[in-house]
Amino acid sequence: MSVKTAKFLLSAPDISHCPDSDLTEICFAGRSNVGKSTLINALTNQKKLAKTSNTPGKTRDINFFLIDDTWHLVDLPGYGYAKVSKKEQARWQKALEEYLLNREQIGLICVLVDSRHEPQDSDLDFMYWLAMNEIPFMVVLTKSDKISKNKQQSAVALFKRELSAMNIEAPVHQTSSSHRTGLDELHAIIESFI
Ligand SMILES: Nc1nc2c(ncn2[C@@H]2O[C@H](COP(=O)(O)OP(=O)(O)O)[C@@H](O)[C@H]2O)c(=O)[nH]1
Ligand SMILES: [Mg+2]
C-alpha cells in the first residue's frame, strides 16, 4: 500500500517549534544531494512536496509533513557542504541534536546514503551516534538505478558489514526514486515503526 495523502505542516527552527502532536515522526536525514527531497516526493507520490534544489545545505529548518493523517514525515536538513557560517552551523547542529535526543515522538530515522559511494565517515559517525543514543534508524541507499544489480547487492552488504563491525543492527534498504524501486518496501518498513 502506498501513501494516499501528504501535506506540508510547518517548518521548525528548533524543538520548541515542533508540532504539538503525539503522531509518530519518521525522519529523513542525509548528506546534501543524496536525493532526500526526491525520495520524499516519490514516496508520497507528490511532485513538489519537498523542494529539490541545486543549492545544497540551504534549508536549516526541520520540516514536518502530515502523511495519511496518521504519521509525520520529518525532513531534516542535509549535512555536509553547508554554505553557511561556522556559527550558524553550530547553532543548527545544536538544534538538531536537541530534537533527536529529546523528541519522544521519533519512531525512526531514515539515514539516506548514495549507493554509488563507499560509506563515508560522516554517515557512519552519525549512525554510531544514533545507535549510542538508542535512536532507531535504518539505512536507505538512494539512486540505485545508477549502478548494476551486482553493485547494488554489494553496497547493501558493505553497509551491513560496517554496521555489524560497530555492533549495530539496522535495516539496510535499496531504493531508486527515478525508477520507483524499493518504495513500497520502504513504506512497509516505515509502517512497522508507527
Ligand atoms: N538517477 C537518479 N537521480 C536521482 C535520484 N534521486 C535524486 N536524484 C538526483 O540527485 C540530485 C539531488 O537530489 P535532491 O533530491 O535535490 O537531493 P537532496 O539535496 O538530498 O534533497 C538531483 O539532481 C536529483 O534529480 C534517483 O533515484 N536516481
Ligand atoms: Mg533537498
Side-chain angles (χ1 to χ4, degrees), residues 66-125:
L66 175 64
I67 310 296
D68 291 336
D69 294 319
T70 51
W71 57 281
H72 283 149
L73 187 158
V74 182
D75 186 0
L76 299 176
Y79 45 90
Y81 323 120
K83 286 196 181 92
V84 292
S85 70
K86 283 268 183 294
K87 192 176 160 194
E88 175 61 16
Q89 218 167 325
R91 183 205 69 79
W92 194 79
Q93 184 73 25
K94 191 162 165 266
L96 178 65
E97 271 183 32
E98 210 169 16
Y99 166 78
L100 291 171
L101 292 173
N102 301 306
R103 185 79 172 163
E104 284 170 5
Q105 290 87 333
I106 292 176
L108 176 72
I109 315 290
C110 298
V111 183
L112 275 53
V113 289
D114 193 318
S115 346
R116 295 170 297 175
H117 305 147
E118 296 263 297
Q120 316 247 326
D121 283 346
S122 61
D123 294 320
L124 295 173
D125 288 350

Short mmCIF file of all heavy atoms in Angstrom, two decimals, residues 66-125:
data_model
loop_
_atom_site.label_atom_id
_atom_site.label_comp_id
_atom_site.label_asym_id
_atom_site.label_seq_id
_atom_site.Cartn_x
_atom_site.Cartn_y
_atom_site.Cartn_z
N LEU A 66 2.34 15.99 7.16
CA LEU A 66 1.35 15.05 7.69
C LEU A 66 1.04 14.03 6.60
O LEU A 66 0.64 14.38 5.50
CB LEU A 66 0.08 15.81 8.10
CG LEU A 66 -1.09 14.94 8.57
CD1 LEU A 66 -0.74 14.19 9.85
CD2 LEU A 66 -2.33 15.81 8.78
N ILE A 67 1.23 12.74 6.94
CA ILE A 67 1.03 11.67 5.96
C ILE A 67 -0.16 10.81 6.35
O ILE A 67 -0.21 10.27 7.46
CB ILE A 67 2.29 10.78 5.85
CG1 ILE A 67 3.57 11.62 5.67
CG2 ILE A 67 2.13 9.75 4.73
CD1 ILE A 67 3.65 12.44 4.40
N ASP A 68 -1.10 10.67 5.43
CA ASP A 68 -2.29 9.82 5.62
C ASP A 68 -3.00 10.10 6.95
O ASP A 68 -3.62 9.18 7.52
CB ASP A 68 -1.89 8.34 5.52
CG ASP A 68 -1.48 7.94 4.10
OD1 ASP A 68 -1.92 8.62 3.15
OD2 ASP A 68 -0.73 6.97 3.95
N ASP A 69 -2.87 11.32 7.41
CA ASP A 69 -3.46 11.72 8.71
C ASP A 69 -3.03 10.83 9.86
O ASP A 69 -3.66 10.85 10.93
CB ASP A 69 -5.00 11.73 8.63
CG ASP A 69 -5.51 12.81 7.69
OD1 ASP A 69 -4.95 13.93 7.72
OD2 ASP A 69 -6.45 12.53 6.91
N THR A 70 -1.95 10.03 9.67
CA THR A 70 -1.58 9.08 10.73
C THR A 70 -0.14 9.21 11.22
O THR A 70 0.18 8.74 12.30
CB THR A 70 -1.80 7.62 10.28
OG1 THR A 70 -1.17 7.43 9.02
CG2 THR A 70 -3.27 7.28 10.18
N TRP A 71 0.76 9.78 10.43
CA TRP A 71 2.13 9.95 10.90
C TRP A 71 2.77 11.21 10.31
O TRP A 71 2.27 11.78 9.34
CB TRP A 71 2.99 8.71 10.62
CG TRP A 71 3.10 8.24 9.19
CD1 TRP A 71 2.17 7.49 8.51
CD2 TRP A 71 4.20 8.42 8.28
NE1 TRP A 71 2.62 7.21 7.24
CE2 TRP A 71 3.87 7.76 7.07
CE3 TRP A 71 5.44 9.07 8.37
CZ2 TRP A 71 4.72 7.74 5.96
CZ3 TRP A 71 6.30 9.04 7.26
CH2 TRP A 71 5.93 8.38 6.08
N HIS A 72 3.85 11.63 10.93
CA HIS A 72 4.57 12.80 10.44
C HIS A 72 5.87 12.39 9.76
O HIS A 72 6.66 11.64 10.32
CB HIS A 72 4.90 13.76 11.60
CG HIS A 72 3.73 14.56 12.05
ND1 HIS A 72 3.57 14.98 13.35
CD2 HIS A 72 2.65 15.05 11.37
CE1 HIS A 72 2.44 15.69 13.44
NE2 HIS A 72 1.87 15.73 12.27
N LEU A 73 6.04 12.88 8.56
CA LEU A 73 7.32 12.72 7.88
C LEU A 73 8.12 13.97 8.20
O LEU A 73 7.61 15.08 8.07
CB LEU A 73 7.09 12.56 6.37
CG LEU A 73 8.30 12.22 5.51
CD1 LEU A 73 7.84 11.58 4.21
CD2 LEU A 73 9.17 13.42 5.21
N VAL A 74 9.35 13.79 8.65
CA VAL A 74 10.16 14.93 9.05
C VAL A 74 11.42 15.01 8.18
O VAL A 74 12.21 14.07 8.13
CB VAL A 74 10.56 14.81 10.54
CG1 VAL A 74 11.37 16.03 10.97
CG2 VAL A 74 9.32 14.66 11.42
N ASP A 75 11.53 16.12 7.48
CA ASP A 75 12.67 16.35 6.59
C ASP A 75 13.73 17.11 7.37
O ASP A 75 13.56 18.29 7.67
CB ASP A 75 12.16 17.16 5.38
CG ASP A 75 13.22 17.34 4.30
OD1 ASP A 75 14.35 16.85 4.48
OD2 ASP A 75 12.90 17.98 3.29
N LEU A 76 14.81 16.41 7.72
CA LEU A 76 15.88 17.07 8.47
C LEU A 76 16.86 17.70 7.49
O LEU A 76 17.08 17.18 6.40
CB LEU A 76 16.62 16.04 9.34
CG LEU A 76 15.79 15.31 10.40
CD1 LEU A 76 16.64 14.25 11.10
CD2 LEU A 76 15.23 16.29 11.43
N PRO A 77 17.47 18.80 7.87
CA PRO A 77 18.41 19.47 6.96
C PRO A 77 19.59 18.57 6.59
O PRO A 77 20.04 17.78 7.41
CB PRO A 77 18.91 20.65 7.78
CG PRO A 77 17.93 20.84 8.85
CD PRO A 77 17.32 19.52 9.13
N GLY A 78 20.04 18.68 5.36
CA GLY A 78 21.17 17.88 4.90
C GLY A 78 22.46 18.31 5.56
O GLY A 78 22.65 19.48 5.83
N TYR A 79 23.32 17.34 5.82
CA TYR A 79 24.61 17.73 6.39
C TYR A 79 25.70 17.69 5.31
O TYR A 79 25.54 17.07 4.28
CB TYR A 79 24.98 16.89 7.62
CG TYR A 79 24.78 15.40 7.54
CD1 TYR A 79 25.79 14.57 7.09
CD2 TYR A 79 23.58 14.83 7.96
CE1 TYR A 79 25.62 13.19 7.05
CE2 TYR A 79 23.39 13.46 7.92
CZ TYR A 79 24.42 12.64 7.46
OH TYR A 79 24.24 11.30 7.41
N GLY A 80 26.80 18.37 5.57
CA GLY A 80 27.87 18.47 4.59
C GLY A 80 27.64 19.65 3.66
O GLY A 80 26.52 20.09 3.47
N TYR A 81 28.69 20.15 3.12
CA TYR A 81 28.70 21.26 2.15
C TYR A 81 27.84 22.46 2.51
O TYR A 81 27.41 23.19 1.62
CB TYR A 81 28.21 20.86 0.74
CG TYR A 81 28.57 19.52 0.23
CD1 TYR A 81 27.58 18.60 -0.11
CD2 TYR A 81 29.90 19.17 0.06
CE1 TYR A 81 27.91 17.36 -0.62
CE2 TYR A 81 30.23 17.92 -0.45
CZ TYR A 81 29.24 17.03 -0.79
OH TYR A 81 29.54 15.81 -1.28
N ALA A 82 27.53 22.66 3.77
CA ALA A 82 26.63 23.76 4.10
C ALA A 82 27.30 25.10 3.81
O ALA A 82 28.38 25.39 4.31
CB ALA A 82 26.22 23.68 5.56
N LYS A 83 26.60 25.89 2.98
CA LYS A 83 27.16 27.20 2.63
C LYS A 83 26.70 28.23 3.65
O LYS A 83 26.06 29.22 3.33
CB LYS A 83 26.71 27.61 1.22
CG LYS A 83 27.43 26.84 0.13
CD LYS A 83 27.27 27.52 -1.22
CE LYS A 83 27.97 26.75 -2.32
NZ LYS A 83 27.09 25.78 -2.99
N VAL A 84 27.00 27.96 4.90
CA VAL A 84 26.65 28.89 5.97
C VAL A 84 27.85 29.06 6.88
O VAL A 84 28.77 28.26 6.84
CB VAL A 84 25.44 28.40 6.80
CG1 VAL A 84 24.17 28.39 5.98
CG2 VAL A 84 25.70 27.02 7.39
N SER A 85 27.80 30.09 7.70
CA SER A 85 28.93 30.36 8.59
C SER A 85 29.06 29.27 9.65
O SER A 85 28.12 28.54 9.94
CB SER A 85 28.72 31.71 9.28
OG SER A 85 27.65 31.60 10.20
N LYS A 86 30.26 29.17 10.24
CA LYS A 86 30.53 28.20 11.31
C LYS A 86 29.57 28.40 12.47
O LYS A 86 29.09 27.44 13.06
CB LYS A 86 31.97 28.37 11.81
CG LYS A 86 33.02 27.77 10.89
CD LYS A 86 33.33 26.32 11.29
CE LYS A 86 34.43 25.71 10.43
NZ LYS A 86 34.07 25.54 9.02
N LYS A 87 29.30 29.66 12.76
CA LYS A 87 28.43 29.99 13.88
C LYS A 87 27.01 29.48 13.63
O LYS A 87 26.38 28.86 14.49
CB LYS A 87 28.43 31.52 14.08
CG LYS A 87 27.80 31.97 15.38
CD LYS A 87 27.93 33.48 15.53
CE LYS A 87 26.92 33.99 16.53
NZ LYS A 87 26.79 35.45 16.47
N GLU A 88 26.54 29.73 12.41
CA GLU A 88 25.21 29.29 12.02
C GLU A 88 25.14 27.75 12.02
O GLU A 88 24.17 27.14 12.47
CB GLU A 88 24.88 29.85 10.63
CG GLU A 88 23.57 29.39 10.01
CD GLU A 88 22.33 29.76 10.81
OE1 GLU A 88 22.43 30.63 11.69
OE2 GLU A 88 21.27 29.17 10.54
N GLN A 89 26.22 27.11 11.56
CA GLN A 89 26.28 25.66 11.52
C GLN A 89 26.23 25.07 12.94
O GLN A 89 25.56 24.08 13.18
CB GLN A 89 27.58 25.22 10.84
CG GLN A 89 27.41 24.02 9.95
CD GLN A 89 28.62 23.80 9.06
OE1 GLN A 89 29.24 24.76 8.61
NE2 GLN A 89 28.94 22.56 8.81
N ALA A 90 26.93 25.71 13.85
CA ALA A 90 26.96 25.25 15.25
C ALA A 90 25.59 25.39 15.88
O ALA A 90 25.11 24.49 16.58
CB ALA A 90 28.00 26.05 16.02
N ARG A 91 24.93 26.51 15.60
CA ARG A 91 23.59 26.74 16.14
C ARG A 91 22.66 25.65 15.64
O ARG A 91 21.89 25.05 16.37
CB ARG A 91 23.05 28.11 15.70
CG ARG A 91 21.68 28.44 16.31
CD ARG A 91 20.88 29.44 15.47
NE ARG A 91 20.43 28.92 14.20
CZ ARG A 91 19.38 28.12 14.02
NH1 ARG A 91 18.66 27.73 15.06
NH2 ARG A 91 19.04 27.69 12.83
N TRP A 92 22.81 25.34 14.35
CA TRP A 92 21.92 24.39 13.77
C TRP A 92 22.18 22.96 14.27
O TRP A 92 21.26 22.21 14.58
CB TRP A 92 21.96 24.45 12.24
CG TRP A 92 20.80 23.69 11.84
CD1 TRP A 92 19.52 24.14 11.85
CD2 TRP A 92 20.77 22.30 11.63
NE1 TRP A 92 18.68 23.09 11.63
CE2 TRP A 92 19.42 21.95 11.49
CE3 TRP A 92 21.75 21.32 11.54
CZ2 TRP A 92 19.02 20.67 11.25
CZ3 TRP A 92 21.35 20.03 11.32
CH2 TRP A 92 19.99 19.72 11.18
N GLN A 93 23.45 22.63 14.39
CA GLN A 93 23.85 21.32 14.90
C GLN A 93 23.23 21.07 16.28
O GLN A 93 22.75 19.99 16.58
CB GLN A 93 25.39 21.28 14.98
CG GLN A 93 25.97 19.93 15.41
CD GLN A 93 25.87 18.90 14.31
OE1 GLN A 93 25.80 19.24 13.13
NE2 GLN A 93 25.83 17.63 14.70
N LYS A 94 23.26 22.13 17.09
CA LYS A 94 22.74 22.03 18.45
C LYS A 94 21.22 21.81 18.42
O LYS A 94 20.69 20.98 19.16
CB LYS A 94 23.09 23.32 19.21
CG LYS A 94 22.83 23.25 20.69
CD LYS A 94 23.58 24.34 21.43
CE LYS A 94 23.02 24.49 22.83
NZ LYS A 94 21.97 25.53 22.92
N ALA A 95 20.55 22.54 17.55
CA ALA A 95 19.09 22.41 17.44
C ALA A 95 18.71 21.00 16.98
O ALA A 95 17.76 20.40 17.50
CB ALA A 95 18.54 23.44 16.46
N LEU A 96 19.48 20.44 16.06
CA LEU A 96 19.19 19.09 15.56
C LEU A 96 19.41 18.05 16.64
O LEU A 96 18.58 17.16 16.85
CB LEU A 96 20.07 18.78 14.34
CG LEU A 96 19.88 17.37 13.76
CD1 LEU A 96 18.48 17.19 13.20
CD2 LEU A 96 20.91 17.07 12.68
N GLU A 97 20.54 18.18 17.35
CA GLU A 97 20.83 17.23 18.43
C GLU A 97 19.76 17.27 19.51
O GLU A 97 19.34 16.23 20.01
CB GLU A 97 22.20 17.53 19.05
CG GLU A 97 23.31 16.79 18.34
CD GLU A 97 24.66 17.02 19.00
OE1 GLU A 97 24.73 17.20 20.23
OE2 GLU A 97 25.65 17.02 18.24
N GLU A 98 19.35 18.47 19.83
CA GLU A 98 18.31 18.64 20.84
C GLU A 98 17.02 17.94 20.42
O GLU A 98 16.38 17.25 21.21
CB GLU A 98 18.06 20.13 21.06
CG GLU A 98 17.63 20.46 22.46
CD GLU A 98 17.63 21.96 22.71
OE1 GLU A 98 17.69 22.76 21.76
OE2 GLU A 98 17.58 22.32 23.90
N TYR A 99 16.68 18.11 19.15
CA TYR A 99 15.48 17.46 18.62
C TYR A 99 15.63 15.94 18.68
O TYR A 99 14.76 15.23 19.19
CB TYR A 99 15.22 17.93 17.18
CG TYR A 99 14.21 17.08 16.45
CD1 TYR A 99 12.85 17.21 16.68
CD2 TYR A 99 14.63 16.11 15.53
CE1 TYR A 99 11.93 16.40 16.04
CE2 TYR A 99 13.73 15.30 14.88
CZ TYR A 99 12.38 15.44 15.14
OH TYR A 99 11.47 14.61 14.51
N LEU A 100 16.75 15.42 18.17
CA LEU A 100 16.93 13.97 18.09
C LEU A 100 17.00 13.32 19.48
O LEU A 100 16.51 12.21 19.67
CB LEU A 100 18.21 13.63 17.29
CG LEU A 100 18.16 13.94 15.79
CD1 LEU A 100 19.54 13.77 15.16
CD2 LEU A 100 17.14 13.06 15.07
N LEU A 101 17.61 14.01 20.43
CA LEU A 101 17.78 13.42 21.76
C LEU A 101 16.53 13.51 22.63
O LEU A 101 16.33 12.68 23.50
CB LEU A 101 18.95 14.09 22.49
CG LEU A 101 20.35 13.83 21.92
CD1 LEU A 101 21.38 14.69 22.62
CD2 LEU A 101 20.72 12.35 22.03
N ASN A 102 15.69 14.50 22.38
CA ASN A 102 14.58 14.75 23.30
C ASN A 102 13.18 14.55 22.75
O ASN A 102 12.22 14.52 23.51
CB ASN A 102 14.68 16.18 23.85
CG ASN A 102 15.99 16.40 24.56
OD1 ASN A 102 16.34 15.66 25.47
ND2 ASN A 102 16.74 17.39 24.12
N ARG A 103 13.04 14.43 21.47
CA ARG A 103 11.70 14.35 20.88
C ARG A 103 11.18 12.92 20.99
O ARG A 103 11.63 12.01 20.29
CB ARG A 103 11.78 14.80 19.42
CG ARG A 103 10.44 14.88 18.72
CD ARG A 103 9.69 16.12 19.07
NE ARG A 103 8.50 16.23 18.21
CZ ARG A 103 7.46 17.01 18.48
NH1 ARG A 103 7.46 17.79 19.55
NH2 ARG A 103 6.43 17.05 17.66
N GLU A 104 10.22 12.72 21.87
CA GLU A 104 9.72 11.36 22.14
C GLU A 104 8.91 10.77 21.00
O GLU A 104 8.76 9.56 20.90
CB GLU A 104 8.90 11.36 23.43
CG GLU A 104 9.80 11.43 24.64
CD GLU A 104 9.06 11.66 25.95
OE1 GLU A 104 7.82 11.67 25.93
OE2 GLU A 104 9.75 11.82 26.96
N GLN A 105 8.42 11.63 20.12
CA GLN A 105 7.59 11.15 19.01
C GLN A 105 8.40 10.44 17.93
O GLN A 105 7.84 9.80 17.05
CB GLN A 105 6.84 12.33 18.36
CG GLN A 105 5.76 12.94 19.22
CD GLN A 105 6.28 14.02 20.16
OE1 GLN A 105 7.44 14.01 20.56
NE2 GLN A 105 5.42 14.96 20.53
N ILE A 106 9.73 10.57 17.97
CA ILE A 106 10.55 9.98 16.91
C ILE A 106 10.42 8.46 16.91
O ILE A 106 10.62 7.81 17.93
CB ILE A 106 12.04 10.38 17.06
CG1 ILE A 106 12.23 11.88 16.79
CG2 ILE A 106 12.92 9.56 16.10
CD1 ILE A 106 13.66 12.37 17.02
N GLY A 107 10.04 7.90 15.73
CA GLY A 107 9.90 6.46 15.61
C GLY A 107 11.07 5.83 14.88
O GLY A 107 11.47 4.70 15.15
N LEU A 108 11.61 6.57 13.92
CA LEU A 108 12.67 6.01 13.07
C LEU A 108 13.38 7.14 12.32
O LEU A 108 12.72 8.09 11.88
CB LEU A 108 12.05 5.04 12.05
CG LEU A 108 12.96 4.42 11.00
CD1 LEU A 108 13.88 3.38 11.64
CD2 LEU A 108 12.14 3.76 9.89
N ILE A 109 14.69 7.01 12.20
CA ILE A 109 15.44 7.93 11.33
C ILE A 109 15.87 7.14 10.09
O ILE A 109 16.51 6.10 10.22
CB ILE A 109 16.73 8.46 12.01
CG1 ILE A 109 16.49 8.89 13.46
CG2 ILE A 109 17.36 9.58 11.17
CD1 ILE A 109 15.68 10.12 13.65
N CYS A 110 15.48 7.61 8.92
CA CYS A 110 15.96 7.02 7.68
C CYS A 110 17.22 7.79 7.29
O CYS A 110 17.14 8.98 6.95
CB CYS A 110 14.92 7.15 6.58
SG CYS A 110 13.38 6.28 6.94
N VAL A 111 18.37 7.13 7.39
CA VAL A 111 19.62 7.80 7.02
C VAL A 111 19.91 7.45 5.56
O VAL A 111 20.17 6.30 5.23
CB VAL A 111 20.79 7.36 7.91
CG1 VAL A 111 22.06 8.13 7.54
CG2 VAL A 111 20.46 7.57 9.39
N LEU A 112 19.82 8.45 4.70
CA LEU A 112 20.00 8.24 3.27
C LEU A 112 21.47 8.30 2.89
O LEU A 112 22.19 9.21 3.34
CB LEU A 112 19.23 9.30 2.49
CG LEU A 112 17.75 9.04 2.21
CD1 LEU A 112 16.98 8.72 3.48
CD2 LEU A 112 17.13 10.22 1.50
N VAL A 113 21.90 7.34 2.08
CA VAL A 113 23.26 7.38 1.55
C VAL A 113 23.22 7.01 0.07
O VAL A 113 22.40 6.19 -0.35
CB VAL A 113 24.23 6.45 2.31
CG1 VAL A 113 24.54 6.96 3.69
CG2 VAL A 113 23.69 5.05 2.39
N ASP A 114 24.08 7.62 -0.70
CA ASP A 114 24.14 7.38 -2.15
C ASP A 114 24.75 6.00 -2.40
O ASP A 114 25.87 5.74 -1.96
CB ASP A 114 25.00 8.49 -2.77
CG ASP A 114 24.88 8.55 -4.28
OD1 ASP A 114 24.87 7.47 -4.91
OD2 ASP A 114 24.80 9.67 -4.82
N SER A 115 24.01 5.12 -3.09
CA SER A 115 24.50 3.74 -3.32
C SER A 115 25.82 3.69 -4.07
O SER A 115 26.52 2.70 -4.00
CB SER A 115 23.54 2.90 -4.15
OG SER A 115 22.29 3.44 -4.29
N ARG A 116 26.13 4.75 -4.80
CA ARG A 116 27.35 4.71 -5.63
C ARG A 116 28.62 4.91 -4.83
O ARG A 116 29.70 4.59 -5.29
CB ARG A 116 27.28 5.82 -6.70
CG ARG A 116 26.18 5.62 -7.70
CD ARG A 116 26.03 6.84 -8.56
NE ARG A 116 25.64 8.02 -7.76
CZ ARG A 116 25.52 9.24 -8.24
NH1 ARG A 116 25.79 9.47 -9.50
NH2 ARG A 116 25.15 10.23 -7.45
N HIS A 117 28.47 5.49 -3.63
CA HIS A 117 29.68 5.85 -2.89
C HIS A 117 29.98 4.89 -1.75
O HIS A 117 29.08 4.32 -1.15
CB HIS A 117 29.54 7.27 -2.33
CG HIS A 117 29.24 8.28 -3.39
ND1 HIS A 117 28.48 9.40 -3.17
CD2 HIS A 117 29.59 8.32 -4.70
CE1 HIS A 117 28.36 10.09 -4.29
NE2 HIS A 117 29.02 9.45 -5.23
N GLU A 118 31.25 4.73 -1.45
CA GLU A 118 31.69 3.97 -0.28
C GLU A 118 31.10 4.65 0.96
O GLU A 118 30.90 5.87 0.95
CB GLU A 118 33.21 4.07 -0.16
CG GLU A 118 33.96 3.43 -1.30
CD GLU A 118 34.40 2.03 -0.94
OE1 GLU A 118 35.19 1.88 0.00
OE2 GLU A 118 33.90 1.09 -1.59
N PRO A 119 30.85 3.87 2.02
CA PRO A 119 30.37 4.50 3.25
C PRO A 119 31.32 5.61 3.71
O PRO A 119 32.53 5.42 3.73
CB PRO A 119 30.38 3.34 4.26
CG PRO A 119 30.25 2.12 3.44
CD PRO A 119 30.94 2.41 2.14
N GLN A 120 30.75 6.80 3.98
CA GLN A 120 31.56 7.95 4.37
C GLN A 120 31.60 8.07 5.90
O GLN A 120 30.62 7.73 6.56
CB GLN A 120 30.92 9.23 3.84
CG GLN A 120 30.44 9.15 2.41
CD GLN A 120 31.24 10.03 1.50
OE1 GLN A 120 31.69 11.11 1.91
NE2 GLN A 120 31.45 9.58 0.30
N ASP A 121 32.71 8.57 6.41
CA ASP A 121 32.85 8.71 7.86
C ASP A 121 31.71 9.51 8.47
O ASP A 121 31.19 9.16 9.53
CB ASP A 121 34.18 9.37 8.22
CG ASP A 121 35.34 8.38 8.09
OD1 ASP A 121 35.06 7.16 8.00
OD2 ASP A 121 36.50 8.82 8.09
N SER A 122 31.32 10.60 7.80
CA SER A 122 30.27 11.45 8.39
C SER A 122 28.96 10.67 8.55
O SER A 122 28.24 10.85 9.54
CB SER A 122 30.05 12.71 7.56
OG SER A 122 29.64 12.37 6.25
N ASP A 123 28.66 9.79 7.60
CA ASP A 123 27.44 8.97 7.70
C ASP A 123 27.58 7.93 8.81
O ASP A 123 26.67 7.74 9.61
CB ASP A 123 27.16 8.26 6.38
CG ASP A 123 26.81 9.24 5.26
OD1 ASP A 123 26.09 10.21 5.55
OD2 ASP A 123 27.26 9.03 4.14
N LEU A 124 28.74 7.25 8.83
CA LEU A 124 28.94 6.21 9.84
C LEU A 124 28.99 6.81 11.24
O LEU A 124 28.46 6.23 12.19
CB LEU A 124 30.22 5.42 9.54
CG LEU A 124 30.18 4.61 8.23
CD1 LEU A 124 31.55 4.00 7.92
CD2 LEU A 124 29.11 3.52 8.26
N ASP A 125 29.61 7.98 11.36
CA ASP A 125 29.66 8.67 12.67
C ASP A 125 28.24 8.99 13.15
O ASP A 125 27.92 8.81 14.31
CB ASP A 125 30.44 9.98 12.58
CG ASP A 125 31.93 9.76 12.42
OD1 ASP A 125 32.38 8.59 12.57
OD2 ASP A 125 32.66 10.73 12.14
#
